[in-house]
Amino acid sequence: MPLDRGPSPLRPSIRGTTPSYRRFEAMSPVDNDVHPVIHAGRVAVITGAASGIGRAAAIELAKAGLKIALADVLEDVLTATGKEVAVIAGDANVLVIPTDVSKIEDVQRLRDKVYEAWGEVAVLLNNAAVGPDSKAWEQLDNWRSTFEVNLFGVVNVQHTFVPSMLHQENQAMVINTGSKQGITNPPGNPAYNATKAAVKSLTEGLAHELRERPSCNVTAHLFIPGWTFTGLTARSGGVKPAGAWSAEETVLYMLDHVRLGEFYILCPDNEARRELDQLRIMWAAGDVAEGRPALSRWHKDWKSLFDEYIRDGLAEMQ
């Protein structure tokens, strides 16, 4: 997107300048031919692996020759997915480990089984999530269950696996699955949004701590899917909407960009291309920077300005 565009129509653009703080480079550049982490013989651990993005990631990483440990609380579905992945990777290269990430003892058991079998973890995909309904001052039980899985599940996995990964000789990566809802915060499910905002924050903190650690071989990445047709987003089932990407498309995009060493892996879909996502994110940040009402994008007095901002911004990018 143009570098001289301000975060909202209230901020004038600065023509003909390129800010010195804008740097376009991979955070952890790697060899284009043989990636040090995503290649045959290495090990991937995937939570939320029974279906959706987790299942798609297991299949794609198995195709790349990795050994796959699948973890999920849905045992029957997880077993079926494990058999699917074993057809690609071979039975000896697949572990199916029922795991409730909200329980630290389950996560520790997952770690122990993986290290006992294979001695390392190259790719840790922290993907398990739930999305029950929530309201700002109602459904407290749903708030607690959402935080236990979406936030403390990520914390449990991170705290359990990262110390072991730090002592490995070879490079490794942690990929935490966030959401655009944790950045632009659309109305509708505040509990889910809050957990994904927290995942963004904790992953940024993890990336910084790893980066500052001398001779650290572990990197962190925030995976931000677009509109993806999965069991979580399509509760009523049915056919994939034209605007959504499949889980496979989303995972392939993520793997392409994580190979480049990118931290923020912001996935488009068939309705929202990257430029539109960028403008929406800039507007959301402008609410804070410019003192607009909370979630002004959906505010009756600001919606027309938001629409104008998006229209003008997309026109500039043509």
Side-chain angles (χ1 to χ4, degrees):
M1 65 184 291
L3 300 183
D4 59 357
R5 183 166 181 81
S8 86
L10 299 183
R11 176 168 297 173
S13 61
I14 304 172
R15 301 291 176 183
T17 63
T18 300
S20 60
Y21 56 81
R22 294 297 296 270
R23 297 178 59 190
F24 294 91
E25 60 184 22
M27 295 298 102
S28 54
V30 295
D31 187 284
N32 288 329
D33 297 321
V34 180
H35 194 281
V37 177
I38 303 173
H39 70 77
R42 302 221 57 194
V43 175
V45 175
I46 304 168
T47 68
S51 59
I53 285 174
R55 171 184 170 277
I59 289 171
E60 294 304 327
L61 289 169
K63 289 178 182 176
L66 279 77
K67 302 172 183 178
I68 311 294
L70 302 99
D72 204 296
V73 73
L74 302 174
E75 295 190 28
D76 291 344
V77 185
L78 183 66
T79 298
T81 299
K83 291 177 180 178
E84 228 181 323
V85 176
V87 171
I88 302 167
D91 290 339
N93 295 320
V94 176
L95 290 176
V96 175
I97 306 170
T99 305
D100 182 346
V101 294
S102 71
K103 298 178 179 178
I104 189 68
E105 60 274 16
D106 271 25
V107 177
Q108 291 168 341
R109 180 170 54 85
L110 170 65
R111 176 202 58 198
D112 293 345
K113 286 181 176 293
V114 172
Y115 275 93
E116 285 169 10
W118 295 324
E120 70 139 23
V121 175
V123 179
L124 178 63
L125 178 53
N126 222 340
N127 175 72
V130 296
D133 293 336
S134 67
K135 299 293 182 184
W137 57 84
E138 298 175 7
Q139 300 168 303
L140 183 58
D141 287 345
N142 285 1
W143 276 83
R144 294 189 187 282
S145 63
T146 302
F147 268 78
E148 286 295 333
V149 175
N150 295 9
L151 176 56
F152 285 102
V154 173
V155 172
N156 286 342
V157 172
Q158 193 167 291
H159 277 234
T160 301
F161 276 86
V162 170
S164 298
M165 295 169 72
L166 288 172
H167 294 292
Q168 296 174 179
E169 180 180 358
N170 295 324
Q171 293 185 39
M173 59 176 62
V174 179
I175 306 169
N176 289 341
T177 302
S179 171
K180 293 176 187 178
Q181 289 182 227
I183 301 173
T184 58
N185 201 26
N189 193 337
Y192 182 84
N193 292 0
T195 60
K196 290 302 184 177
V199 168
K200 172 182 176 291
S201 178
L202 72 87
T203 310
E204 290 168 336
L206 173 64
H208 172 78
E209 291 184 38
L210 293 173
R211 186 173 67 230
E212 296 299 306
R213 185 182 177 91
S215 305
C216 183
N217 272 336
V218 184
T219 59
H221 308 264
L222 182 65
F223 173 29
I224 312 167
W227 182 14
T228 309
F229 186 67
T230 68
L232 188 61
T233 59
R235 297 176 189 174
S236 59
V239 179
K240 181 182 80 65
W245 270 12
S246 67
E248 292 74 16
E249 288 174 301
T250 301
V251 165
L252 287 171
Y253 184 95
M254 179 270 287
L255 291 176
D256 283 345
H257 287 262
V258 82
R259 283 186 176 102
L260 296 174
E262 295 179 10
F263 174 78
Y264 297 103
I265 305 170
L266 183 66
C267 301
D269 53 57
N270 293 333
E271 279 196 354
R273 67 183 198 262
R274 182 174 178 82
E275 292 82 1
L276 178 57
D277 280 329
Q278 288 173 315
L279 289 168
R280 288 172 172 172
I281 290 168
M282 292 290 282
W283 180 276
D287 280 356
V288 180
E290 298 174 11
R292 296 194 296 252
L295 305 184
S296 67
R297 173 179 161 188
W298 295 275
H299 191 292
K300 62 182 179 62
D301 295 336
W302 287 84
K303 186 179 184 306
S304 61
L305 277 174
F306 169 76
D307 292 341
E308 177 186 351
Y309 171 72
I310 294 295
R311 184 177 62 251
D312 291 349
L314 291 176
E316 279 190 28
M317 297 176 187
Q318 297 302 320

